[in-house]
Amino acid sequence: MQPLFRSRRDRLDRLRRQREEAVEAASKRESIPQSGTQTCPNCNTECTNAQLVQTDYVCPNCGYHLPIGAYLRLSLLLDPFTFRELWAGLTAPNALDFPGYESKLVAQREKTALSDAAVVAVGKLDGRQAVFVVLDSRFFMGSMGVAVGEKVTRGVEYAKKHRLPLVIFSASGGARMQEGILSLMQMAKTSAAIEQFSRSGGLYISVFTHPTTGGVTASFASLGDITLAEPGALIGFAGPRVIQQTIGQELPEGFQRAEYLEEHGFVDQIVPRSQMRETLSQLLSLHRKGVFHR
Amino acid sequence: MNNLTAAQRVKLARTPGRPGTLDFVNALFTDIFVCKGDRLGREDPSIFGAIARFHGKPVTVLGHRKGRTFEENMKCNFGMPSPEGYRKAQRLMKQAEKFGRPIITFVDTPGAYPGLEAEAGGQGEAIASSLALMSALTVPVISVVIGEGGSGGALALAVGNRVLMLENAVYSVLSPEGFASILWKDASRADEAAGIMKLTARDLYQLGVVDQVIPEPEGGAHTDAKAVFEAVNQALTRHLNQLNKEKDLAAHRYQKFRAMGAVREEVEP
Ligand SMILES: [Zn+2]
């Protein structure tokens, strides 16, 4: 028995080390370098990258929340060494034979080191286990094709099966055009999964981050028990340019921003990045007993 | 009709004289009682709703309405629903479930309305909650794409146990014009876009998105509407009979949409 235990323990240790290294490598790849500067897209202030690391990539001058990658997002939320990624290498084929799509996918994968635009993970936040799905806008603008739809759906089904709370961070330009109608069908697939999860008594916290539009807004992202948004995030079904073309007039200041959605009753609270972990911890704690009472 | 290009079918699907939801409803159903309003403050005429009889049995009918005359077009917003239209549809679907009525939907919309008030009213939320609700209904749901199936605004009425499609109807994630302007920044290349989008009934049947293609007469549905009504009548009857034998219709629908899109499990990167 002893050798068997030892080999199992060694294998677990090895797997854990591999995972930790993977996260570290991924967050290194996606994080902005420590030296140098970049300009805030909102107020044009020049910020040093050292500063931005300190503020979780929020502009120190105006509070603009710069988009961040999925692994960095998870590293800001999860307890150390509790991260376990699920279905990391899942991809979808070019089912519609869309010209040039494969080579674009390869380029996106090389640029981001992601297999597609969603990361699913199980981990602990303040000691509470939950399933996290994070969309990454660096990969094809976070658009939802079959791979994203499948990862979201599997994440939801996993949470239902293991009776865990579910947290989804959305950031998406909408449907993946190159996967056409199959992208559209992911809206039905993911929404159906959320509905089953909800009926089983599971807690789903949906967090809108900048920008979330189209098919993601019109499916799982809008179906949370609790809906949060990062300050200033653009959230909508139709994109601002399409709306402007349709109505033929200028859009009002702040239209489709998180604050606008809060005013119109579609967001419970706007939560700055610096308070996100604390807020999620509070919500998970408030639902500790209530989850899966059915 | 086999040799038409995708772009030609897009034009047929949008032909003004093509039979719309109201034409199908009047031809196929009896004892029609029109239901209006979302009970939250508005009636959106771009989604038609009614209780009616299909071969004697009560059903709930829903469908996008574009209108015939210019006045009707304006009233129906050219078939582009607002959130209130989807909330009315949800109300009527819940009601159908309560009374055990099958639901038949007719899909014919360029898309949900991309307007200021529609966004303020939660177009995304309205579509999302329609998808969620529809996916779990315990009564049979059959959707027929009769003209344009435009994006999420179409899907919000098309989460059916069966999705049928007329031969020259089209169904896509975005209009060919929108597709061309996003991909090539040039909306005038819409015909070219239509050619690669896989939006025809046959393409969608091959992809497993559509369960049956209903043939149209030479020249399109508007050249012999009666024949099309009869073909749809037969298809609806057949599928309804099949679904009546299905034990768990919600599970059946879940599995149907769960299977949309194949994936690969790769280890890298
Ligand atoms: Zn700034």
Side-chain angles (χ1 to χ4, degrees):
Chain A
M1 288 302 278
Q2 282 251 327
L4 182 67
F5 274 131
R6 199 175 317 129
S7 80
R8 268 174 67 181
R9 197 190 56 212
D10 287 352
R11 203 181 67 217
L12 281 173
D13 282 347
R14 205 164 56 241
L15 283 173
R16 167 173 272 186
R17 267 199 311 279
Q18 276 171 8
R19 276 186 221 122
E20 283 161 12
E21 280 160 17
V23 182
E24 207 183 85
S27 63
K28 259 183 204 153
R29 266 195 293 264
E30 73 178 53
S31 61
I32 305 156
Q34 294 272 339
S35 59
T37 61
Q38 56 176 311
T39 308
C40 169
N42 185 48
C43 70
N44 293 320
T45 299
E46 189 137 299
C47 312
T48 68
N49 281 313
Q51 254 177 331
L52 288 172
V53 169
Q54 292 302 311
T55 61
D56 298 341
Y57 304 94
V58 174
C59 171
N61 183 49
C62 72
Y64 179 82
H65 283 51
L66 288 113
I68 56 173
Y71 291 104
L72 183 56
R73 170 82 61 187
L74 286 163
S75 74
L76 296 178
L77 298 173
L78 296 188
D79 301 347
F81 310 116
T82 66
F83 169 91
R84 180 160 64 90
E85 184 168 0
L86 302 172
W87 315 294
L90 188 140
T91 60
N94 182 10
L96 266 55
D97 292 323
F98 195 89
Y101 184 40
E102 275 113 345
S103 58
K104 276 195 176 150
L105 278 175
V106 168
Q108 293 284 317
R109 283 180 192 137
E110 276 169 9
K111 189 187 86 181
T112 62
L114 294 159
S115 59
D116 210 295
V119 172
V120 188
V122 182
K124 285 186 177 172
L125 192 153
D126 251 352
R128 294 190 181 85
Q129 185 96 347
V131 174
F132 295 83
V133 182
V134 185
L135 301 200
D136 196 315
S137 62
R138 295 168 308 150
F139 194 100
F140 258 117
M141 292 167 68
S143 58
M144 174 161 67
V146 171
V148 169
E150 181 69 18
K151 274 195 167 184
V152 170
T153 304
R154 285 191 191 186
V156 178
E157 288 175 341
Y158 185 95
K160 180 167 178 270
K161 186 178 167 200
H162 296 275
R163 300 174 85 75
L164 292 169
L166 170 73
V167 182
I168 301 184
F169 281 81
S170 295
S172 177
R176 182 82 49 87
M177 291 302 134
Q178 291 84 350
E179 293 182 36
I181 195 80
L182 294 177
S183 297
L184 189 70
M185 293 300 130
Q186 304 311 305
M187 291 169 63
K189 183 165 117 181
T190 54
S191 301
I194 296 284
E195 180 68 14
Q196 293 307 311
F197 177 66
S198 176
R199 287 179 184 217
S200 76
L203 166 70
Y204 166 31
I205 303 169
S206 172
V207 189
F208 284 103
T209 71
H210 180 71
T212 304
T213 57
V216 168
T217 299
S219 63
F220 61 87
S222 289
L223 296 172
D225 297 298
I226 308 282
T227 306
L228 309 177
E230 282 199 329
L234 179 81
I235 306 160
F237 173 63
R241 208 158 21 110
V242 175
I243 298 168
Q244 208 166 337
Q245 280 167 7
T246 308
I247 64 172
Q249 60 191 54
E250 287 296 305
L251 298 173
E253 179 82 21
F255 179 63
Q256 290 186 317
R257 297 291 165 177
E259 296 74 13
Y260 180 90
L261 268 89
E262 188 188 44
E263 238 172 73
H264 285 83
F266 293 100
V267 165
D268 286 297
Q269 282 188 28
I270 293 168
V271 181
R273 199 169 285 164
S274 59
Q275 284 161 40
M276 189 59 77
R277 188 184 146 87
E278 204 182 320
T279 305
L280 290 177
S281 173
Q282 181 196 2
L283 286 168
L284 292 176
S285 156
L286 281 169
H287 290 83
R288 200 170 33 172
K289 282 258 164 64
V291 188
F292 293 108
H293 56 282
R294 269 177 263 184
Chain B
M1 305 280 310
N2 279 326
N3 47 6
L4 293 181
T5 65
Q8 285 171 319
R9 292 192 204 271
V10 171
K11 285 182 186 73
L12 273 179
R14 294 174 180 172
T15 300
R18 189 175 171 85
T21 291
L22 278 191
D23 303 308
F24 281 94
V25 172
N26 288 323
L28 302 179
F29 302 89
T30 57
D31 215 358
I32 301 158
F33 179 85
V34 176
C35 303
K36 293 178 189 168
D38 62 359
R39 301 297 184 269
L40 298 162
R42 222 193 118 191
E43 153 66 4
D44 180 356
S46 69
I47 289 186
F48 172 85
I51 310 166
R53 287 181 193 276
F54 184 64
H55 294 284
K57 294 215 177 77
V59 295
T60 287
V61 189
L62 292 160
H64 300 96
R65 237 188 107 195
K66 290 180 169 175
R68 272 273 173 262
T69 62
F70 183 71
E71 214 168 75
E72 278 176 15
N73 292 156
M74 291 296 286
K75 218 175 83 183
C76 298
N77 205 12
F78 297 86
M80 294 183 284
S82 293
E84 294 85 352
Y86 293 112
R87 295 191 180 114
K88 170 172 76 177
Q90 289 176 30
R91 179 175 77 79
L92 296 178
M93 287 194 259
K94 281 184 209 159
Q95 189 189 74
E97 187 172 51
K98 174 179 175 185
F99 295 105
R101 289 192 287 264
I103 299 170
I104 294 164
T105 71
F106 295 98
V107 176
D108 188 16
T109 176
Y113 186 57
L116 207 138
E117 291 83 10
E119 290 291 319
Q123 189 73 281
E125 190 280 336
I127 293 173
S129 50
S130 291
L131 300 176
L133 170 77
M134 221 177 165
S135 73
L137 290 167
T138 54
V139 293
V141 182
I142 303 179
S143 303
V144 193
V145 186
I146 55 173
E148 282 182 280
S151 192
L155 181 65
L157 288 190
V159 187
N161 295 91
R162 294 281 195 277
V163 180
L164 319 179
M165 196 162 163
L166 292 192
E167 188 181 1
N168 295 314
V170 293
Y171 190 9
S172 57
V173 69
L174 188 64
S175 69
E177 290 79 6
F179 200 88
S181 64
I182 284 185
L183 232 53
W184 306 308
K185 315 267 174 251
D186 184 1
S188 69
R189 288 169 73 183
D191 285 2
E192 195 183 334
I196 57 173
M197 285 174 73
K198 302 259 159 66
L199 47 64
T200 69
R202 276 182 212 296
D203 287 332
L204 296 171
Y205 179 75
Q206 268 158 22
L207 287 165
V209 171
V210 162
D211 300 293
Q212 188 192 333
V213 180
I214 299 170
E216 290 184 31
E218 197 78 35
H222 58 289
T223 62
D224 187 358
K226 268 199 181 133
V228 175
F229 297 148
E230 186 44 34
V232 171
N233 180 22
Q234 282 178 22
L236 285 176
T237 307
R238 185 164 70 89
H239 289 290
L240 213 47
N241 283 336
Q242 287 173 3
L243 290 175
N244 280 333
K245 289 177 205 131
E246 198 69 50
K247 275 203 187 68
D248 189 341
L249 286 153
H252 173 268
R253 210 177 303 108
Y254 188 87
Q255 287 312 321
K256 175 183 168 65
F257 285 88
R258 181 71 188 81
M260 297 278 182
V263 292
R264 292 196 197 113
E265 315 267 351
E266 280 166 20
V267 185
E268 47 127 32

